[in-house]
Amino acid sequence: MNLGATWAKAWIRTSADVMSEHRVELINLDREIGDGDHGENMDRGFQAVLGKLDDLPADAAPGDVFKLVATTLISTVGGAAGPLYGTAFLKAAVAVAGALELDGAALVALLTAARDGIVLRGKAELGDKTMVDAWTPAVDAAAAAHEAGANDLDILIAAANAAEAGAVATEPWVARKGRASYLGERAIGHRDPGAQSSALLLRAAADTAAA
Amino acid sequence: MNLGATWAKAWIRTSADVMSEHRVELINLDREIGDGDHGENMDRGFQAVLGKLDDLPADAAPGDVFKLVATTLISTVGGAAGPLYGTAFLKAAVAVAGALELDGAALVALLTAARDGIVLRGKAELGDKTMVDAWTPAVDAAAAAHEAGANDLDILIAAANAAEAGAVATEPWVARKGRASYLGERAIGHRDPGAQSSALLLRAAADTAAA
Amino acid sequence: MKKLVNDPKNVVDEAVAGFGAAHADLVSVHQDPNFIVRKDAPVAGKVGLVSGGGSGHEPMHGGFVGFGMLDAAVPGAVFTSPTPDPILAATKAVDGGAGVLHIVKNYTGDVLNFETAADLAAADGIEVRSVLVNDDVAVKDSLYTAGRRGVAGTVLVEKIAGAAADRGDNLDAVATVAEKVIARVRSMGVALTPCVVPHAGEPSFTLAEDEIEIGIGIHGEPGRERIRLEPADAIVDRLLGPILDDIPFVSGDEVLLMVNGMGGTPQIELYIVFRHAAEVLAAKGLTVTRTLVGNFTTSLEMQGMSITVLKLDQELTTLWDAPVQTAALRWGR
Amino acid sequence: MKKLVNDPKNVVDEAVAGFGAAHADLVSVHQDPNFIVRKDAPVAGKVGLVSGGGSGHEPMHGGFVGFGMLDAAVPGAVFTSPTPDPILAATKAVDGGAGVLHIVKNYTGDVLNFETAADLAAADGIEVRSVLVNDDVAVKDSLYTAGRRGVAGTVLVEKIAGAAADRGDNLDAVATVAEKVIARVRSMGVALTPCVVPHAGEPSFTLAEDEIEIGIGIHGEPGRERIRLEPADAIVDRLLGPILDDIPFVSGDEVLLMVNGMGGTPQIELYIVFRHAAEVLAAKGLTVTRTLVGNFTTSLEMQGMSITVLKLDQELTTLWDAPVQTAALRWGR
Ligand SMILES: Nc1ncnc2c1ncn2[C@@H]1O[C@H](COP(=O)(O)OP(=O)(O)O)[C@@H](O)[C@H]1O
Ligand SMILES: Nc1ncnc2c1ncn2[C@@H]1O[C@H](COP(=O)(O)OP(=O)(O)O)[C@@H](O)[C@H]1O
Ligand SMILES: [Mg+2]
Ligand SMILES: [Mg+2]
Ligand SMILES: [Mg+2]
Ligand SMILES: [Mg+2]
C-alpha cells in the first residue's frame, strides 16, 4: 500500500483493534509495575479516534489524520500515556504536514518527530524503562533501513522489529521515569507497558503497509 | 465431694477452664448463627470471676460464691449471655442463701431458680433455640432424679446429661429468640451456642462433684 | 486475618484511647470502664443522651458524641453489648438534672444490659427513659423473632433527638421525637464480603466470589438470603422495595436518603448506589430533601452498604438541620 | 471482583452524578466532561482552586469542593489523570478574575495533563499557577525516579490554600502558602490488602495472608518493601521514622497528625494507629495540636493507612481552623 491518507487511516484503525485485543495484556503489564490502567487508557483513546476518523474530509492528508489522532488521544486517554502519545502524533503531524503521500525520508521524519515529542514532554532518556525505549531503537532502525535503500514497507518493518526488541529489552531494567520508578529494584523482570503499546502501534503501521 | 463452698468454687474454677478450652468452639457456633463472640464473652467473664474467687471470705457459703459469679458475669460479659447467666446465678444465690451445704432439694431449687431467672430476663420458651433448651431439660432431669432418690452427684449428672441432650436437640430448629432468630430457616442445622455453654457449665458442676 | 491491631484483647481500649486523643476538643474519654462523654458533660438542665453497643460499628456511637447529638457513648467489646457498669457510669456522667434518654438498638444483649443500667440509675435517683431502634426491615418484626434490629437508622435517631435535647426539650419531648423518628425510618443492607472479629480471627460467614448476602445486620451475622452478584442498580432495587413497602411511604413525602457504607466499601460505590436510590425514590414521587452518604454504621471491614429512608416533616427537618459538632457529623458550627 | 457497580465503564460518571445529587447544596456537577464546582462558582475576585486526578481516591478531590477549600475538582478515570479538557473547563468555570491555582499531585500523568490545561487556560487569558504536592517519603526524591508522589498531604494543602483564597489572598499569596504546606508535610503508607480497579478486574498486586506492603502509593501500585504482618504499633514506627527524619521535625514543633484510611480499613484500627502515632510524636517532643482521622485519600477498597505529619506555625494553624464547608471536611459553618 502507498503511504497516503488511506494507509494512515488503516494504521490507526488497526491500532484501535490491536489495543482492544491487547487491552488485558497491557493492563496486566501495568498492574505489575504501574497502576493497571494502561490497556484501558489506550483502548479508550483509540476507540475514540475510531469514532472520529470518518469525519475527516475526503481530501485529508496523513498529517491531518495524525493531528486528529493527537487531539483525540490528548482529550480521551489521560494519565501519562495520553499527553505522551498525543504529543508524539502532534509532532508527527507537523513533520509530514502537507504531504499527501509519505516516502522513506518522510517516514523517518515522522518517527523521529514522534519520538522527539515524547522526549520533549516526558524528559525520559534511553534506558529509563519507558516508551522511549521502544521508539528510539525504532527511529534508529528506520533511519538505517532508509539509508540502506529499503522501501517504505521494510522501513516500517525494521522500526516495528526494533520497537519490539526495545520493549523486551526493558524487562531487566530498573525504571527511572513514570510510576515504575517508585518500585526501585522491584521493577526488574517486568516489561514496560508503554514500550509494549508502542511496539504494538508500530507493528500495526507495518502490517497495514503490507496489506 | 460434699456440695459446700469448696465445691461451689471448684465448679466455677472448672467452668473457667472449660470456657477457655471451648472458647473457639463456642465462637464458631456463634459465628454460624450469631455474631461470633459467645466463646470470647464466656471466657472473659469466667476469667474475671477466677480473679475474684480468692477475695471471698473464708466462711463464704455457696450462695456467696454464686452471688459473686452473678455480679462479675453481669459486669464483664455483656451481650445477651452476660445478663442471662448473671441473672441465673443471682437467682440461684438467692435460692440457696444461707445454706452451707446443698442437699438434693437445694440442688433442684438452685437449678430451677437459675432457669427461671433466664426465662424472666430473656422471655424465651422451650423450643426457641436458646440456652433455656439446655436448662429446662436439666431442671426436669434433676427433679426427677431427686424424686427417684438419687444422690447429689447423680442429680448433677442427670442435669448435665439432659443439658447436653438439650443442646444437641436445638440443632434442627429454627430460632425464635436471640440473633439466630434473624436467620429464619438458615439457623437449621446449627447448635445454639448458649445451650452449648450451658451444657458445659452443668457438666463442670457434675465433674467437680465427682472429684 | 490482617488487621492493624496489637493484642486483639486491647482493640477497644486502644481505639477508645486514640479516639480521645484525636478528639480532645470534643470529648472526654473514660477508661475502665470505657465510655466517651461530651467535653462539657454534664450540661445542666439538658436531657442527657446515652447510646452504646458493641464496638466495630465506628463511627457509631463515639463519633456522634458532642454538641447537638449524644452526650455519651458506651462501647462494648467488638460486637458485644457493653455491660451495665459503664452504661450506668456514663448515665451518671451526663445527667444534668433533666433526666437521661437511652437510645438502644434492638438486640437482646443491648436491651438487657441497658435495662439493668437504667434500673440501677433509677435506684440512684436519675430519671431514665429508653427508646428501642428497630429500623431493619430485613427481619420481620414478629412473635417468632427477637424483633427487628437497629441498624443505620440509629444515626438519624441520635442526631434528631440530640438536636431536640440541645434546644431544651424535656425528657418526655426528647423521647417522643426519638420515637417519632423510629416510627418513620427504615433500612436494609447488603454484604459483598464478611468481616472478621479480631478475637475470632475468622470471618463470620463466607461468600463465594460471585455471591452477596441480602439483608445482613451490622454484626457480621449472615443475612436472610444469599444471591448471585448483581449490578448495583438491581441490588438497590432489592433493598428499596422492602423499605418503601414497610411504612408505607407515599407520593409527595419528603424523605432523608442515607446510603451507609459497611466499612470496606469505597465511597465511589456508595455514590453509585445513591444515584440510583435517588432515582427510584423520585420515580415513586418521593422528594429527597436531605441526604447522608458515607460510613456511619459499619461492620468492621465488611464490604457492602445499607440504605435508610426517613420520612421527614417540618419538625424532623428542622432538627436534622440544627447544628451538630461531633467527630463524624458536623455542621452549623 | 465484587463491587457495587453497574457497567465498569460508567463507574466514574455514575459516581459523579450521585455525588452531585447527594450534595446539591454544596456543589454543581458537570458531566461530559466531568468536573465538580462549588455551588457559587465563580466567586468574583477570589483566587480559584482546582485540583483533580484519577478517581478511586474519594473523598479526594470532589469531597473537598466548597467554601474554604477547592473551587473545582476534576475526576479522571479510575487511577488515571484527567485529560486537559475537563481541567480547562473547570479552570474557566472557577475563574473569578483573580487567577486560578492548580494543586497537582506529582505523578507524570497529572503533571502533563494539568500543564497542558494551564497552557490552554493561559492562552484564554486566565492566569494559572501550579503547585506540585509530593509528600510521600516512601519514594526517594532523586534524579532516578519521577520524584516523590503526592498522597494524603494533598488534603492539607487543599484545606489551607483554600482558606487563604477564601480570606482574600491573591494568587501569589495562595500559591506561596500552598508551597509552604508542601515544604512542611510528609506522609507514608502501608497496605494490608491490594485494591481492584473496576476495569482491570484483578488486584494490582497480591499479598499473602501474613504479608503487608510498606510504602505504597495511592493507586494500588506495589510499595517499596514487603514484610511480615506486625503489630500496629511496630508498623506505625516504620512509617513515622522516615517521615520524621525527612524534614526533620524537631522537639518543640507543633504538628498536625493525620491518620488516613486507604478505604477498606475500619475506623477502630485507624484510632489504634493514631494512639501510638501520637505517643511517638510526644516522645520526640512534638506537640500534636491539630488532628485528622478518617478516609480522606483512599485507594478504592484497599485495607491500610497512611500517616501524615505537617509542621504547623501560627499562620497554618489559623488557616487550618478557618471555616470549611465541603462534603468531606466541614467545620465552622
Ligand atoms: N516521563 C516519561 N517519559 C516517557 N514515557 C513515560 C514517562 N512516564 C511514563 N511513561 C510511559 O507511560 C506508561 C504508562 O502509561 P499509563 O499507564 O497509561 O499512565 P499512568 O502511568 O499515568 O497510569 C509507562 O509504561 C511508560 O512507558
Ligand atoms: N431471649 C433469650 N433467652 C434466652 N437465651 C437467649 C436469649 N437471647 C439469646 N440467648 C442466648 O444467648 C446466646 C448468645 O450469647 P452471646 O453470643 O454471648 O450474646 P450476643 O447474642 O449478644 O452476641 C444464644 O446462643 C442464646 O442461647
Ligand atoms: Mg498506568
Ligand atoms: Mg454472640
Ligand atoms: Mg454479641
Ligand atoms: Mg494511571
Side-chain angles (χ1 to χ4, degrees), chain A residues 28-60:
Chain A
N28 286 343
L29 289 178
D30 199 33
R31 281 202 296 125
E32 297 291 352
I33 57 170
D35 57 353
D37 59 359
H38 188 59
E40 178 75 11
N41 294 346
M42 297 303 289
D43 186 29
R44 182 175 59 242
F46 273 92
Q47 288 303 317
V49 175
L50 212 52
K52 291 191 178 169
L53 269 187
D54 291 336
D55 299 350
L56 279 173
D59 60 350

Side-chain angles (χ1 to χ4, degrees), chain B residues 43-150:
Chain B
D43 185 30
R44 182 175 59 242
F46 273 91
Q47 288 303 316
V49 176
L50 211 52
K52 291 191 180 171
L53 269 187
D54 291 336
D55 300 348
L56 280 172
D59 60 349
D64 299 322
V65 176
F66 300 146
K67 176 120 192 274
L68 179 78
V69 174
T71 54
T72 308
L73 292 184
I74 289 173
S75 70
T76 58
V77 175
L84 292 170
Y85 275 117
T87 305
F89 276 98
L90 202 60
K91 300 292 180 188
V94 172
V96 301
L100 289 178
E101 218 163 85
L102 311 188
D103 58 14
L107 256 190
V108 172
L110 178 155
L111 294 173
T112 307
R115 189 270 317 272
D116 290 352
I118 293 167
V119 171
L120 179 79
R121 290 310 301 270
K123 317 256 172 350
E125 291 173 16
L126 206 59
D128 282 356
K129 192 161 184 153
T130 71
M131 53 176 75
V132 171
D133 296 311
W135 281 92
T136 290
V139 168
D140 293 348
H146 174 55
E147 228 150 276

Side-chain angles (χ1 to χ4, degrees), chain C residues 226-243:
Chain C
R226 182 163 300 190
I227 63 167
R228 296 278 301 265
L229 179 63
E230 295 180 342
D233 288 357
I235 296 171
V236 168
D237 292 340
R238 275 186 195 271
L239 302 187
L240 273 178
I243 289 173

Side-chain angles (χ1 to χ4, degrees), chain A residues 30 35 37 41 79 179, chain D residues 78-81 219:
Chain A
D30 199 33
D35 57 353
D37 59 359
N41 294 346
R179 282 174 205 289
Chain D
V78 174
F79 291 170
T80 302
S81 160
H219 297 90

Side-chain angles (χ1 to χ4, degrees), chain C residues 91-173:
Chain C
T91 302
K92 288 183 178 173
V94 306
D95 174 36
V100 175
L101 181 71
H102 284 178
I103 299 177
V104 184
K105 300 189 298 301
N106 186 35
Y107 299 95
T108 308
D110 294 71
V111 170
L112 295 179
N113 286 287
F114 270 89
E115 209 171 83
T116 304
D119 288 351
L120 295 169
D124 282 348
I126 302 178
E127 197 184 351
V128 177
R129 291 275 299 270
S130 297
V131 294
L132 277 188
V133 187
N134 64 347
D135 53 318
D136 186 359
V137 298
V139 173
K140 280 277 154 272
D141 188 8
S142 88
L143 281 177
Y144 304 111
T145 68
R148 284 200 319 235
R149 302 172 285 211
V151 291
T154 312
V155 178
L156 311 186
V157 178
E158 294 177 0
K159 166 66 184 85
I160 289 173
D166 264 299
R167 77 175 172 191
D169 283 13
N170 66 22
L171 182 55
D172 257 4

Side-chain angles (χ1 to χ4, degrees), chain B residues 30 35 37 41 79 179, chain C residues 78-81 219:
Chain B
D30 198 32
D35 57 354
D37 59 358
N41 294 346
R179 281 174 207 289
Chain C
V78 174
F79 291 169
T80 302
S81 160
H219 297 90

Side-chain angles (χ1 to χ4, degrees), chain A residues 22 24-36 38-39 85 127-134 160-181 183-201 203:
Chain A
H22 293 260
V24 172
E25 171 197 334
L26 294 173
I27 283 177
N28 286 343
L29 289 178
D30 199 33
R31 281 202 296 125
E32 297 291 352
I33 57 170
D35 57 353
H38 188 59
Y85 275 116
D128 282 358
K129 191 161 182 154
T130 70
M131 54 176 74
V132 171
D133 295 312
N161 289 344
E164 276 166 14
V168 172
T170 64
E171 290 181 7
W173 298 346
V174 163
R176 288 190 295 239
K177 280 278 183 294
R179 282 174 205 289
S181 73
L183 288 179
E185 309 275 308
R186 296 172 73 189
I188 289 174
H190 301 282
R191 190 176 305 181
D192 178 64
Q196 180 68 8
S197 62
S198 298
L200 292 171
L201 191 74
R203 177 62 63 199

